[in-house]
Amino acid sequence: MTSPPAGVQLRLDELDEPLNQTIFVVVDLETTGGKPGSDAITEIGAVKIQGGKVLGDFATLVDPGRGIPIHITHITGITTAMVAEAPRISSVLPAFLEFARGAVLVAHNAPFDIGFLKAAALESATPWPAFRVLCTVKLARRVLTRDEAPSVRLSALAELFRVSTLPTHRALDDARATVDVLHGLIARVGNQGVHSLPELIDYLPAVTAAQRGKRHLADALPRRPGVYLFRGPSDEVLYVGTAVDLRRRVRTYFTGSETRGRIKEMVALAVRVDHVECAHALEAAVRELRLIAAHAPPYNRKSKQPYKAWWINLTAEAFPRLVVSRTATMDSLGPIRSRTAAADIADALATACGLRTCRAKIPAAGRHGEDCGALGPVGGCPAIAADQVPEDAAAYAPRAQLVLDVVRGRTDKPLRAARERVEALATAELFENAARLRDRLGALTAALGRSQRLGALAALDELVAARPDGAGGWEFAVLRCGRLAAAGCAVRGVAPMPVIEIIGKSAATVEPSPGPLRGGMAEELGLVASWLAGDGVRIVRGTAGYAEPARGAGAWRSWADRARAGRAAAEAHYPPRI
């Protein structure tokens, strides 16, 4: 056994290195049978190669801890006596993994060999590295025609490629034969423009010539984060997406890794791919949203109508009630995607605050409650549940004010009262009633929390924040009215403050408009809020303090998450009847 220098683990930005620079470890096993776990390894042979050169080999017999069946001995020539003094797999496997560290594992019928190695790792409690694996059987079936290779057995391919070491059903000989087969197959695909490992992996699934022929559309794209736009024959935008590496991501659309039918149809129509480079992932995600909203690409399924949402409003009446509308006011609760969800949340809020749900028109001089039934098992108007005495407008007004206070985060008393009701129902073993109320309260607090979080962000005229990039540098965002006005970054070793000053002076002007989000898109505000909630984010400066209301629903977030988890668990055990 020789011990060459171990290969270096491939980094994400090195995965496109040429095949002649990629380190492969070609491995072959002999075993006591064909079932990993039930049968065991008797021999390991491996060859490490790079650029057609052998860097080293690894070969050892292995004591399987059991007798070797006679029919296996007839095939391999390995007897029980030969492995009696051999090391066990628990001591051999760490040495092999060190030999193969950082390399791409190659095997002829890889599921068999890798399956046995993984089973051995599991049995010996040895961590299994996240190897990239290449199967020469699968590659041969993709590259060679049936006439050229009726069989893809190792012996047949060895004859076809005239290998220097014939396979003998001994591990090292078979691994050496597989090396020559691998080189022969790589030479074939090289003539088809496959020159890197990702291209080789992507080549394995069948891809139409037309789809593969459009790979050149990605050639001019940079290896930078950003947004890409597929354009059709009339220069129309077909599809918009984001990537941390534009060239690598767009290239996947022309390989077998793309399996979505509608996207294959889009690729067939595309004639050009435009791009916008971005400083970091937040800028890319925001630009994607804005471009989808501007172009409404036919092959994008989400975010085409970012301003089309539902809001919960108080009516302008002497006896206000809650209604669901497409129009938002400064006191609205939302946005909410579904009208049904918005109606359920409005009903939960009205019940919690004792607001009327009846639809009768009551004159200013009238009284509420004269024609409403008390809230009971089959429903009723919450506004008279606690007090059967009809109210005039002045007596009713505190109920509407309570709704506004809850929406604005000035109080959470109705929410706490509702939670106590859930707990009381559960204590009384009325579990179905408790679960229904829990779900309604969970949806209400989640909607309130999101509305207050986005509203707090939109209320800031300007906020400048910095977030660690994970490599010793910083990502910056200049936010105005909650919208991304400028973005930048400073790599490790670059002073951050001058960069912040430059992007601050070049930031876009944002003109707010009336409404709780001041004209911003809820999805964009949500992206920004999530970015600000990341680890290590620092506020550089701002026109006012960035804070959610002290008595808002933000403190209920974990409770709402548990409520949703409880509902999901219940539905998993007791699916709803249709």
PDB file of all heavy atoms in Angstrom, residues 447-471:
ATOM      1  N   ALA A 447     -50.910  37.009  12.157  1.00  0.00           N
ATOM      2  CA  ALA A 447     -51.221  38.125  11.263  1.00  0.00           C
ATOM      3  C   ALA A 447     -50.878  39.457  11.914  1.00  0.00           C
ATOM      4  O   ALA A 447     -50.319  40.357  11.265  1.00  0.00           O
ATOM      5  CB  ALA A 447     -52.694  38.087  10.874  1.00  0.00           C
ATOM      6  N   LEU A 448     -51.207  39.607  13.199  1.00  0.00           N
ATOM      7  CA  LEU A 448     -50.866  40.842  13.906  1.00  0.00           C
ATOM      8  C   LEU A 448     -49.356  41.034  13.982  1.00  0.00           C
ATOM      9  O   LEU A 448     -48.836  42.128  13.749  1.00  0.00           O
ATOM     10  CB  LEU A 448     -51.440  40.806  15.322  1.00  0.00           C
ATOM     11  CG  LEU A 448     -52.945  40.997  15.468  1.00  0.00           C
ATOM     12  CD1 LEU A 448     -53.400  40.617  16.868  1.00  0.00           C
ATOM     13  CD2 LEU A 448     -53.342  42.444  15.149  1.00  0.00           C
ATOM     14  N   GLY A 449     -48.637  39.971  14.298  1.00  0.00           N
ATOM     15  CA  GLY A 449     -47.190  40.068  14.413  1.00  0.00           C
ATOM     16  C   GLY A 449     -46.536  40.466  13.111  1.00  0.00           C
ATOM     17  O   GLY A 449     -45.641  41.327  13.079  1.00  0.00           O
ATOM     18  N   ARG A 450     -46.978  39.869  12.003  1.00  0.00           N
ATOM     19  CA  ARG A 450     -46.395  40.212  10.700  1.00  0.00           C
ATOM     20  C   ARG A 450     -46.727  41.642  10.312  1.00  0.00           C
ATOM     21  O   ARG A 450     -45.872  42.392   9.846  1.00  0.00           O
ATOM     22  CB  ARG A 450     -46.915  39.249   9.627  1.00  0.00           C
ATOM     23  CG  ARG A 450     -46.355  39.501   8.228  1.00  0.00           C
ATOM     24  CD  ARG A 450     -46.715  38.359   7.297  1.00  0.00           C
ATOM     25  NE  ARG A 450     -46.119  38.539   5.983  1.00  0.00           N
ATOM     26  CZ  ARG A 450     -46.739  39.042   4.920  1.00  0.00           C
ATOM     27  NH1 ARG A 450     -48.025  39.430   5.034  1.00  0.00           N
ATOM     28  NH2 ARG A 450     -46.132  39.176   3.757  1.00  0.00           N
ATOM     29  N   SER A 451     -47.978  42.043  10.540  1.00  0.00           N
ATOM     30  CA  SER A 451     -48.396  43.397  10.199  1.00  0.00           C
ATOM     31  C   SER A 451     -47.606  44.427  11.000  1.00  0.00           C
ATOM     32  O   SER A 451     -47.144  45.444  10.458  1.00  0.00           O
ATOM     33  CB  SER A 451     -49.900  43.557  10.450  1.00  0.00           C
ATOM     34  OG  SER A 451     -50.346  44.847  10.113  1.00  0.00           O
ATOM     35  N   GLN A 452     -47.434  44.183  12.285  1.00  0.00           N
ATOM     36  CA  GLN A 452     -46.690  45.129  13.134  1.00  0.00           C
ATOM     37  C   GLN A 452     -45.206  45.142  12.792  1.00  0.00           C
ATOM     38  O   GLN A 452     -44.563  46.197  12.818  1.00  0.00           O
ATOM     39  CB  GLN A 452     -46.907  44.765  14.597  1.00  0.00           C
ATOM     40  CG  GLN A 452     -48.336  45.028  15.066  1.00  0.00           C
ATOM     41  CD  GLN A 452     -48.683  44.287  16.341  1.00  0.00           C
ATOM     42  OE1 GLN A 452     -47.847  43.593  16.926  1.00  0.00           O
ATOM     43  NE2 GLN A 452     -49.936  44.413  16.786  1.00  0.00           N
ATOM     44  N   ARG A 453     -44.647  43.974  12.456  1.00  0.00           N
ATOM     45  CA  ARG A 453     -43.233  43.913  12.108  1.00  0.00           C
ATOM     46  C   ARG A 453     -42.946  44.679  10.822  1.00  0.00           C
ATOM     47  O   ARG A 453     -42.009  45.473  10.743  1.00  0.00           O
ATOM     48  CB  ARG A 453     -42.802  42.457  11.964  1.00  0.00           C
ATOM     49  CG  ARG A 453     -41.324  42.265  11.675  1.00  0.00           C
ATOM     50  CD  ARG A 453     -40.922  40.809  11.808  1.00  0.00           C
ATOM     51  NE  ARG A 453     -41.551  39.956  10.815  1.00  0.00           N
ATOM     52  CZ  ARG A 453     -42.534  39.113  11.038  1.00  0.00           C
ATOM     53  NH1 ARG A 453     -43.048  39.014  12.244  1.00  0.00           N
ATOM     54  NH2 ARG A 453     -43.042  38.372  10.070  1.00  0.00           N
ATOM     55  N   LEU A 454     -43.772  44.454   9.800  1.00  0.00           N
ATOM     56  CA  LEU A 454     -43.567  45.145   8.528  1.00  0.00           C
ATOM     57  C   LEU A 454     -43.874  46.638   8.661  1.00  0.00           C
ATOM     58  O   LEU A 454     -43.190  47.475   8.062  1.00  0.00           O
ATOM     59  CB  LEU A 454     -44.445  44.525   7.445  1.00  0.00           C
ATOM     60  CG  LEU A 454     -44.209  43.027   7.145  1.00  0.00           C
ATOM     61  CD1 LEU A 454     -45.022  42.606   5.930  1.00  0.00           C
ATOM     62  CD2 LEU A 454     -42.750  42.716   6.948  1.00  0.00           C
ATOM     63  N   GLY A 455     -44.908  46.964   9.447  1.00  0.00           N
ATOM     64  CA  GLY A 455     -45.248  48.369   9.645  1.00  0.00           C
ATOM     65  C   GLY A 455     -44.150  49.130  10.358  1.00  0.00           C
ATOM     66  O   GLY A 455     -43.863  50.292  10.032  1.00  0.00           O
ATOM     67  N   ALA A 456     -43.496  48.490  11.344  1.00  0.00           N
ATOM     68  CA  ALA A 456     -42.405  49.154  12.065  1.00  0.00           C
ATOM     69  C   ALA A 456     -41.239  49.437  11.134  1.00  0.00           C
ATOM     70  O   ALA A 456     -40.576  50.477  11.231  1.00  0.00           O
ATOM     71  CB  ALA A 456     -41.947  48.277  13.230  1.00  0.00           C
ATOM     72  N   LEU A 457     -40.993  48.539  10.209  1.00  0.00           N
ATOM     73  CA  LEU A 457     -39.903  48.727   9.256  1.00  0.00           C
ATOM     74  C   LEU A 457     -40.238  49.814   8.241  1.00  0.00           C
ATOM     75  O   LEU A 457     -39.411  50.681   7.924  1.00  0.00           O
ATOM     76  CB  LEU A 457     -39.618  47.398   8.547  1.00  0.00           C
ATOM     77  CG  LEU A 457     -38.404  47.327   7.629  1.00  0.00           C
ATOM     78  CD1 LEU A 457     -37.131  47.697   8.365  1.00  0.00           C
ATOM     79  CD2 LEU A 457     -38.287  45.925   7.041  1.00  0.00           C
ATOM     80  N   ALA A 458     -41.477  49.795   7.746  1.00  0.00           N
ATOM     81  CA  ALA A 458     -41.890  50.798   6.757  1.00  0.00           C
ATOM     82  C   ALA A 458     -41.941  52.193   7.353  1.00  0.00           C
ATOM     83  O   ALA A 458     -41.815  53.189   6.628  1.00  0.00           O
ATOM     84  CB  ALA A 458     -43.260  50.422   6.179  1.00  0.00           C
ATOM     85  N   ALA A 459     -42.112  52.304   8.660  1.00  0.00           N
ATOM     86  CA  ALA A 459     -42.227  53.618   9.296  1.00  0.00           C
ATOM     87  C   ALA A 459     -40.909  54.383   9.335  1.00  0.00           C
ATOM     88  O   ALA A 459     -40.891  55.588   9.546  1.00  0.00           O
ATOM     89  CB  ALA A 459     -42.759  53.449  10.726  1.00  0.00           C
ATOM     90  N   LEU A 460     -39.795  53.699   9.114  1.00  0.00           N
ATOM     91  CA  LEU A 460     -38.483  54.345   9.186  1.00  0.00           C
ATOM     92  C   LEU A 460     -38.155  55.033   7.864  1.00  0.00           C
ATOM     93  O   LEU A 460     -38.150  54.396   6.812  1.00  0.00           O
ATOM     94  CB  LEU A 460     -37.400  53.309   9.501  1.00  0.00           C
ATOM     95  CG  LEU A 460     -37.553  52.561  10.826  1.00  0.00           C
ATOM     96  CD1 LEU A 460     -36.493  51.486  10.946  1.00  0.00           C
ATOM     97  CD2 LEU A 460     -37.467  53.526  11.992  1.00  0.00           C
ATOM     98  N   ASP A 461     -37.868  56.314   7.910  1.00  0.00           N
ATOM     99  CA  ASP A 461     -37.479  57.022   6.689  1.00  0.00           C
ATOM    100  C   ASP A 461     -36.163  56.477   6.149  1.00  0.00           C
ATOM    101  O   ASP A 461     -35.981  56.369   4.935  1.00  0.00           O
ATOM    102  CB  ASP A 461     -37.351  58.523   6.959  1.00  0.00           C
ATOM    103  CG  ASP A 461     -38.709  59.168   7.207  1.00  0.00           C
ATOM    104  OD1 ASP A 461     -39.717  58.622   6.709  1.00  0.00           O
ATOM    105  OD2 ASP A 461     -38.763  60.204   7.892  1.00  0.00           O
ATOM    106  N   GLU A 462     -35.236  56.133   7.039  1.00  0.00           N
ATOM    107  CA  GLU A 462     -33.975  55.528   6.588  1.00  0.00           C
ATOM    108  C   GLU A 462     -33.395  54.675   7.697  1.00  0.00           C
ATOM    109  O   GLU A 462     -33.470  54.998   8.876  1.00  0.00           O
ATOM    110  CB  GLU A 462     -32.956  56.587   6.163  1.00  0.00           C
ATOM    111  CG  GLU A 462     -31.645  55.956   5.638  1.00  0.00           C
ATOM    112  CD  GLU A 462     -30.671  56.970   5.068  1.00  0.00           C
ATOM    113  OE1 GLU A 462     -30.828  57.334   3.894  1.00  0.00           O
ATOM    114  OE2 GLU A 462     -29.756  57.392   5.814  1.00  0.00           O
ATOM    115  N   LEU A 463     -32.822  53.560   7.297  1.00  0.00           N
ATOM    116  CA  LEU A 463     -32.114  52.677   8.215  1.00  0.00           C
ATOM    117  C   LEU A 463     -30.948  52.067   7.448  1.00  0.00           C
ATOM    118  O   LEU A 463     -31.130  51.533   6.349  1.00  0.00           O
ATOM    119  CB  LEU A 463     -33.038  51.570   8.722  1.00  0.00           C
ATOM    120  CG  LEU A 463     -32.419  50.553   9.694  1.00  0.00           C
ATOM    121  CD1 LEU A 463     -32.169  51.210  11.044  1.00  0.00           C
ATOM    122  CD2 LEU A 463     -33.322  49.332   9.859  1.00  0.00           C
ATOM    123  N   VAL A 464     -29.753  52.142   8.017  1.00  0.00           N
ATOM    124  CA  VAL A 464     -28.560  51.543   7.413  1.00  0.00           C
ATOM    125  C   VAL A 464     -28.099  50.419   8.326  1.00  0.00           C
ATOM    126  O   VAL A 464     -27.904  50.627   9.534  1.00  0.00           O
ATOM    127  CB  VAL A 464     -27.433  52.577   7.225  1.00  0.00           C
ATOM    128  CG1 VAL A 464     -26.212  51.920   6.582  1.00  0.00           C
ATOM    129  CG2 VAL A 464     -27.922  53.743   6.377  1.00  0.00           C
ATOM    130  N   ALA A 465     -27.958  49.226   7.762  1.00  0.00           N
ATOM    131  CA  ALA A 465     -27.606  48.059   8.567  1.00  0.00           C
ATOM    132  C   ALA A 465     -26.473  47.294   7.903  1.00  0.00           C
ATOM    133  O   ALA A 465     -26.275  47.360   6.685  1.00  0.00           O
ATOM    134  CB  ALA A 465     -28.819  47.148   8.754  1.00  0.00           C
ATOM    135  N   ALA A 466     -25.737  46.541   8.723  1.00  0.00           N
ATOM    136  CA  ALA A 466     -24.627  45.718   8.250  1.00  0.00           C
ATOM    137  C   ALA A 466     -24.794  44.309   8.787  1.00  0.00           C
ATOM    138  O   ALA A 466     -25.221  44.110   9.926  1.00  0.00           O
ATOM    139  CB  ALA A 466     -23.289  46.309   8.707  1.00  0.00           C
ATOM    140  N   ARG A 467     -24.447  43.344   7.948  1.00  0.00           N
ATOM    141  CA  ARG A 467     -24.555  41.943   8.338  1.00  0.00           C
ATOM    142  C   ARG A 467     -23.277  41.209   7.947  1.00  0.00           C
ATOM    143  O   ARG A 467     -22.778  41.387   6.832  1.00  0.00           O
ATOM    144  CB  ARG A 467     -25.764  41.303   7.634  1.00  0.00           C
ATOM    145  CG  ARG A 467     -25.928  39.810   7.878  1.00  0.00           C
ATOM    146  CD  ARG A 467     -27.241  39.322   7.293  1.00  0.00           C
ATOM    147  NE  ARG A 467     -27.353  37.872   7.315  1.00  0.00           N
ATOM    148  CZ  ARG A 467     -28.470  37.196   7.097  1.00  0.00           C
ATOM    149  NH1 ARG A 467     -29.582  37.867   6.823  1.00  0.00           N
ATOM    150  NH2 ARG A 467     -28.498  35.902   7.133  1.00  0.00           N
ATOM    151  N   PRO A 468     -22.705  40.368   8.834  1.00  0.00           N
ATOM    152  CA  PRO A 468     -21.492  39.632   8.485  1.00  0.00           C
ATOM    153  C   PRO A 468     -21.726  38.726   7.277  1.00  0.00           C
ATOM    154  O   PRO A 468     -22.785  38.115   7.153  1.00  0.00           O
ATOM    155  CB  PRO A 468     -21.202  38.801   9.744  1.00  0.00           C
ATOM    156  CG  PRO A 468     -21.945  39.472  10.844  1.00  0.00           C
ATOM    157  CD  PRO A 468     -23.158  40.087  10.216  1.00  0.00           C
ATOM    158  N   ASP A 469     -20.719  38.659   6.384  1.00  0.00           N
ATOM    159  CA  ASP A 469     -20.873  37.819   5.188  1.00  0.00           C
ATOM    160  C   ASP A 469     -20.379  36.399   5.400  1.00  0.00           C
ATOM    161  O   ASP A 469     -20.429  35.572   4.482  1.00  0.00           O
ATOM    162  CB  ASP A 469     -20.162  38.452   3.992  1.00  0.00           C
ATOM    163  CG  ASP A 469     -18.645  38.497   4.175  1.00  0.00           C
ATOM    164  OD1 ASP A 469     -18.144  38.041   5.216  1.00  0.00           O
ATOM    165  OD2 ASP A 469     -17.958  39.013   3.257  1.00  0.00           O
ATOM    166  N   GLY A 470     -19.892  36.092   6.608  1.00  0.00           N
ATOM    167  CA  GLY A 470     -19.414  34.747   6.901  1.00  0.00           C
ATOM    168  C   GLY A 470     -17.968  34.510   6.529  1.00  0.00           C
ATOM    169  O   GLY A 470     -17.424  33.432   6.798  1.00  0.00           O
ATOM    170  N   ALA A 471     -17.317  35.489   5.889  1.00  0.00           N
ATOM    171  CA  ALA A 471     -15.921  35.332   5.481  1.00  0.00           C
ATOM    172  C   ALA A 471     -15.055  36.466   6.010  1.00  0.00           C
ATOM    173  O   ALA A 471     -14.004  36.767   5.439  1.00  0.00           O
ATOM    174  CB  ALA A 471     -15.834  35.256   3.959  1.00  0.00           C
TER     175      ALA A 471
END
